[in-house]
């Protein structure tokens, strides 16, 4: 899907009619949003929290984040920390 979106983006870049270009861009943006959401939920799942940026001045996980991470891991089938 990502490759198709990229190919269609290149084709859209050659479009000279402004309204048609915006319509294509809007459709491609929606498809890209759907793809990203799918990757987030189906591929990363509960592990997505590990990719979030952290403030370098803070500990890696505060109590609330750790609690949320453990809950999400258990929802994914992980039984023992």
């Amino acid at each position: 899907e990502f490759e198709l979106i990229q190919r269609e983006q290149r084709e859209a870049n050659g479009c000279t009619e402004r309204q048609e270009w915006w319509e294509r861009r809007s459709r491609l943006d929606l498809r890209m949003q759907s793809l990203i959401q799918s990757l987030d939920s189906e591929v990363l799942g509960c592990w997505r929290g590990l990719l979030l940026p952290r403030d370098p001045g803070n500990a890696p996980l505060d109590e609330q984040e750790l609690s949320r991470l453990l809950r999400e891991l258990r929802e994914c089938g992980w039984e023992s920390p």
Side-chain angles (χ1 to χ4, degrees), residues 18-67:
R18 190 175 192 159
Q19 182 177 349
E20 183 181 350
W21 184 88
W22 278 109
E23 288 171 357
R24 286 179 165 192
R25 267 302 333 153
S26 294
R27 287 192 304 269
L28 290 170
D29 287 349
L30 289 174
R31 286 175 55 196
M32 193 65 193
Q33 178 183 15
S34 176
L35 177 62
I36 290 170
Q37 288 172 338
S38 174
L39 289 172
D40 184 49
S41 65
E42 296 174 25
V43 177
L44 293 176
C46 61
W47 301 104
R48 69 184 177 273
L50 296 174
L51 300 175
L52 295 174
R54 301 278 179 228
D55 182 356
N58 292 339
L61 289 175
D62 66 21
E63 197 63 35
Q64 185 179 17
E65 290 173 318
L66 180 59
S67 175

Side-chain angles (χ1 to χ4, degrees), residues 1-13 25 28 31-32 35:
E1 176 67 358
F2 182 67
E3 290 176 8
L4 288 173
I5 292 170
Q6 285 184 314
R7 184 177 339 133
E8 291 178 34
Q9 170 59 42
R10 286 189 294 272
E11 292 171 6
N13 284 342
R25 267 302 333 153
L28 290 170
R31 286 175 55 196
M32 193 65 193
L35 177 62

